[in-house]
Each structure stands twice: as structure tokens, then as C-alpha cells.
Amino acid sequence: MTDTIVRTDALSKRYGDRLAVDSVSLTVRQGEVYGFLGPNGAGKTTTLRMVLGLVRPTSGRAVVLGGAPGSPPVVGRVGALVEGPGFYPYLSGRDNLRVMARYQQVDDRGVDAVLDRVDLRSRGGDRYSRYSLGMKQRLGVAAALLGDPDLLVLDEPTNGLDPAGMADMRALLVDVAAGGQTVVLSSHLLAEVQEVCDRVGVIAGGRLLAEGTVAELRGATAVLLRARPLDLALAVVMRVSGDDAVEVVHGGAGDALRVHAGPALIPQLTRELVSAGVDVLEVRTVERSLEEVFLAMTGAPMTQPAGGAR
Amino acid sequence: MSALLASTRAELLRLRRWPATWVLIGVWFALDLAFVYVFDYIAYRTGEAAGPADQVPRAQLLAGLLPDAVPVAAVQGTPLFGGAILLILGALAAGSGFGWGSWKTVLTQGPGRGTAFGGTLVVLALTVVGLVLATLGLDLAVASVLAAVEDQPATLPSIGALAEGAGAGSLVLGMWCAAGVLIGVLTRSPALAVGLGLVWALVVENLLRGVADLIGGLAVVTDHLPGTAAGSLVGALGGSTGEGTPGVQTILTGGTALGVLLGYLVLFAVGGLVLMRRRDLA
Ligand SMILES: Nc1ncnc2c1ncn2[C@@H]1O[C@H](COP(=O)(O)OP(=O)(O)OP(=O)(O)O)[C@@H](O)[C@H]1O
Ligand SMILES: [Mg+2]
């Protein structure tokens, strides 16, 4: 058995003269939470639809759980929520799941279990059409969880959830992954992806721009230094860490130096600066946020949840 | 096979709990009772023994109300309002899932597309056959009561006649239902599907028949349209009600009508299935 759960190979989808997905080659590994990150219209949903076999690729191919997307043995092992929940409005939430349980040939007992996991059990008897937006979304996630799939594909699962619901959903995803299930999660919320995902694929304009762990994408940490006089400090830093490892950045609190080095360098750096007669105002380590990475890659701003990226 | 059974059970659960299903079935029974029994019985009770020449004679009215006329009487409404009702059911059952997104959810559950859609077809087929059998049962009961009230002999129809009626009714309703399913899948919109389907069944076919009277070779085509075939099959059952019942015709022979109807049924069902398997579900 391979530990690759999803592999796409130059997957493309063309709608008319618009290339919605352009040669996307990504890899999702066993047991990880894979974040699929991109702005509106980037092609996230279209890619996931092809992975699920709902849409036929124009070119390229995908291998899911060792088989073809959409083939019955594969679909049976995948749980999905794509572009919002879709249910029979006249049935209760529980009956909707019972219908899906019959399609999956799993026991009705699983229905209450998944309702519990998304906190909907007490409202399971209410008609779906009377659910709030967030409740509908959670029922969609419940349907995806039904039958303990090996791969869970969730397209913006926290859409419409309140902050507490979002936190619950993230905890649920981490929990699911800890149980050995693989999760593919699309999102345009950086904080969400940064918090729960092991690996991330960044997509914009239909193209996969980068793929890697969150740490890899952010790159190495840096040290931010504010000191006076700046040119003397610059000379000292260049002597300590090398000419290329430092740049001057312009910030609100005045110019500062950004040193591409780990925190281990800080004691030596401050000693040298002080002995050279430099006034050190501030020294701290900084990590690039995923947002900065994203901006650097695409130049497109991304939406932020309240509180912003960490 | 077990996947088709599973899909059938799933679809059965959701169609059984759908108010629309029961509304349509209720309308069918109401129309059946009204047009087969209530109106004719009122006409019989209030009519004069030697009524005006343009009226159906009382004896003929009474004959149509008795148990041995049930196999014909129960299916005489299928080419017209029965077909329309089942076309609506098929269009709603297949077309609604696109707007609701429920097809998308269903097709990510496990059975293949053909199997999942096959479940819908099986349940609709069962509904059609069940509906026809229930109608025969209900009409037999009503006719027996009328026979008792009117002091008429309650001769039951032969099993063969009942089977013929049930077969013809199921085929006509099934064909229209499959037509609804196909339009539902084609348009992916229940409203558009119902509208277009009804316009075809109730208006366009009749207009075409009118045009065929003017243009020579067109009659071959219009004689083999779904509505004509359905009307001809029911007309071929004969009986006192044959003439004058809207939608019932004698254009094609029973055998030809049977073949044409079967052809349409298969064409519509397989067409829906192929579309459902092939198309992107976006
Ligand atoms: N069925 C379709 N027909 C035509 N164009 C489509 C279709 N589906 C998607 N597109 C186009 O493909 C592009 C990618 O859409 P997609 O839904 O995959 O984006 P997304 O990354 O999921 O965006 P969002 O964050 O808004 O959900 C868009 O430009 C969209 O207009
Ligand atoms: Mg999307």
C-alpha cells in the first residue's frame, strides 16, 4: 500500500474559454490534514469536484485511494462536503442522514453518532429547511463523516459558522485526523489553515503556486532588530551574520533591520552591538505569516476572519 | 445488485416522506373517482330514460359503472390526466435534486451514478404499478357498491381483463413518468421540466395532430407520438367508454401502440440514465 491518498497529475478543467483549473498536481498523504488555500474563484471547488468524480477533468488525471475518482469502491471510502450542503428540504436532518446511510449501506446507528459529533443531535428531528445556515453546514459535515470514510473532503466547512462553531469544527478535524482519517480542507481563511493543517497547497487563478508544510511555506524565522544608530548597527550585523542575511525594513516605529537567522544568534548579536556602542531598542524573532507568504506569491489580498492571522 | 437495492431503499424513504408524492397520488385518485364514477353516476341518476340524442344512453352509463367494466374504466384517465400527473412526479423526483444539491450529496455516498439513479427509476416504477393496482382495487370496491345500490348483478371482471387493464395502465403511466424523469434530468430544474412536459403532453401533440391534417407525410410521425400511442393502447382495451373519453384514441392498433410505448419507455429511462452518468454535476 502506498501512503499517498490523493495524487493529481496536471489536472485541468476548462469552462468555455476560462481555465478554471490549470495543471494542478498535488499530493495528499495518509493521515494528514491537507489545506487547500486560495482566494475566491481560485479553482478550489472545481479541483475538489474532480477529485470526487463529480466533474470530469478536461485533461490530466487524479488517483484517489488508489482508484479512479467517482468509481464506486473509491466513492464509498470518501466522505465529502462540496460547495455547501445539499439535502432534501422537507426531511428532518436525521431522516436526511438516514437516506444517505441507506445509500452507503451503513447502519442507522451511525446517524446519531455523527449528529452528536457536530452537535446537532437535539435538533435532528427538525426539518432541514428550517435549519439555520450554520446548522445546515454542520449537517453537511455530519453526512461527510457518515460511514467513517478514509478520506474526508471538506470544501470550506466553516462557512457560516460562528466563532465557537468554527473552533469546534477545527477541533473536530484535528480529532478526525488523529483517528487516522485523512482530511482535505479547502479554505480562504489563513488562520484556519495555519491552525489545523499539516500541509498546504496554495492555489490562485487555477494554478497550484506552492505546496508544502506550513513551516516550509513560511520559510525560516528571522530576527527583527531596532537599534540606533542604524548604519552602525547594520555594519555590526553584517559582520556577525554575513552581508546577505540582513535587510533594512521600513516600519511604523521607524526603520529596522531584518536578520535572516534563528533565535540562537540573538545573544551574540546583542553582545556585539552593545560593545560597538549601539543602542538596542528592540530584538525579537518574527515569523512570516501565511498571509505574507500568500501576498508574496500572488499579490492578491486574502480575506481574514475577525482577529486576523496569527 | 445490493447497491441497487440500497439505493432503492434510500429513494423509497425519501419519496415516501415527500408531501409532493402524496399530493400527486391523491389528485390521481380524486380525478379517477370524479371522472369515472361521480359524474357518470350523477348523470345516470338525473338523466331521463330517453334522453336527448346527443347524450350517452342511461344503460350505457350504468354499464360503465359496474364491476365488470373496471379494467377499462380504471385506466381510461391514464392517457390524459394520469399521464400528466405521473410526468409531474417523474420531473419533480429527478429534477429537484439538482437545485437542492441532493444529487451531489447522493453521488458522493458510494453507489455509482447509474446505480443511484437506478434506485430512483425502480422506486418510480414500483409507484406506477402500485398506483394502478390500487386504482383497480378502489374502483372494484366503488363499482361493487354502486351495483348493490342499483340492484345490478355484481359480475367481476375476468383476471385476464384485469391483468390487461393493469398492464396497459402501468405502461402508459410509466412512459409518461419516464418522460418526466428525462426532462427533469435534461433541464435540471423541476419547474422548467414540469412546464415543458405538460406543454408537450397537453398542447403540442394536439397541435401537431392538427397540422398533420394539412401536411401529407406528417401523419406518420404524429401517429406515433407518445400521447397518441398511449391513447391508442387504452383505446384498444375497448369497452363502452372507448369513444369520447378525452385522450383515448383508436389511431394505432393495440399491438403497435404497445410496441411504440415500450420503445418510448426504454428510450426515456435509458436516456435519463446515460445523461446522469455522463454529465458533470456542478
Ligand atoms: N460550472 C461552471 N461553469 C462555468 N464556470 C465555472 C463553473 N464552475 C466554476 N467555474 C469557474 O471556475 C473558476 C473557479 O471556480 P471555483 O468554484 O473552483 O472557485 P473556488 O476556489 O472554489 O472559489 P470560492 O472561494 O469562491 O469558493 C471561477 O472562475 C468560476 O467562475
Ligand atoms: Mg468554492
Side-chain angles (χ1 to χ4, degrees), chain A residues 15 18 20 38-46 49 83 156 188, chain B residues 282:
Chain A
Y15 287 114
R18 170 177 289 120
N40 291 141
K44 303 182 294 291
T45 302
T46 308
R49 281 202 174 114
E83 190 129 282
E156 308 197 13
H188 53 113

Side-chain angles (χ1 to χ4, degrees), chain A residues 7-8 26 33 56-57 74 123 143 221 255 262 268 288 304:
Chain A
R7 156 170 286 134
T8 73
L26 56 79
V33 180
R56 240 173 253 268
V74 170
R123 301 293 302 275
T221 54
D255 290 353
Q268 190 202 344
R288 287 210 296 171
Q304 288 282 314

Side-chain angles (χ1 to χ4, degrees), chain B residues 24-175:
Chain B
L24 290 172
I25 289 176
V27 168
W28 157 257
F29 281 120
L31 291 179
D32 170 68
L33 287 180
F35 285 103
V36 177
Y37 294 105
V38 176
F39 295 145
D40 280 7
Y41 188 60
I42 291 173
Y44 168 72
R45 296 297 300 190
T46 56
E48 288 156 32
D54 61 334
Q55 278 187 359
V56 186
R58 286 189 78 207
Q60 194 185 328
L61 274 178
L62 183 62
L65 297 173
L66 296 179
D68 68 343
V70 163
V72 177
V75 297
Q76 64 179 306
T78 55
L80 198 65
F81 58 80
I85 288 169
L86 268 289
L87 183 140
I88 297 175
L89 181 66
L92 291 183
S96 301
F98 296 97
W100 292 337
S102 54
W103 272 128
K104 167 187 79 186
T105 308
V106 166
L107 296 184
T108 51
Q109 296 305 307
R113 288 187 179 205
T115 313
F117 188 70
T120 304
L121 293 181
V122 170
V123 172
L124 288 175
L126 292 175
T127 307
V128 164
V129 174
L131 191 66
V132 169
L133 293 182
T135 307
L136 286 172
L138 176 74
D139 287 6
L140 273 179
V142 173
S144 302
V145 170
L146 289 182
V149 170
E150 294 301 322
D151 271 336
Q152 296 289 320
T155 335
L156 289 178
S158 71
I159 296 293
L162 279 173
E164 241 176 44
S170 301
L171 193 55
V172 169
L173 294 185
M175 187 276 295

Side-chain angles (χ1 to χ4, degrees), chain A residues 40-82:
Chain A
N40 291 141
K44 303 182 294 291
T45 302
T46 308
T47 305
L48 295 184
R49 281 202 174 114
M50 288 191 280
V51 164
L52 292 168
L54 290 174
V55 160
R56 240 173 253 268
T58 309
S59 65
R61 65 188 214 116
V63 177
V64 181
L65 295 163
S71 64
V74 170
V75 177
R77 291 170 60 199
V78 180
L81 166 62
V82 181

Side-chain angles (χ1 to χ4, degrees), chain A residues 13 49 53-56 72 75-76 78 82-84 86-91 95 98-100 102-105, chain B residues 2-3 6-7 9-11 13-14 17-18 100-102 104-106 108-113 277-278 280-282:
Chain A
K13 180 71 188 182
R49 281 202 174 114
L54 290 174
V55 160
R56 240 173 253 268
V75 177
V78 180
V82 181
E83 190 129 282
F87 291 102
Y88 305 108
Y90 55 89
L91 289 181
D95 279 346
R98 287 176 64 214
V99 172
M100 299 312 160
R102 281 182 177 41
Y103 276 113
Q104 289 199 19
Q105 310 191 46
Chain B
S2 78
S7 302
R9 288 184 62 220
E11 193 68 7
L13 173 60
R14 76 104 180 165
R17 299 263 167 106
W18 196 9
W100 292 337
S102 54
K104 167 187 79 186
T105 308
V106 166
T108 51
Q109 296 305 307
R113 288 187 179 205
R277 285 174 54 106
R278 288 269 174 88
D280 282 358
L281 212 78

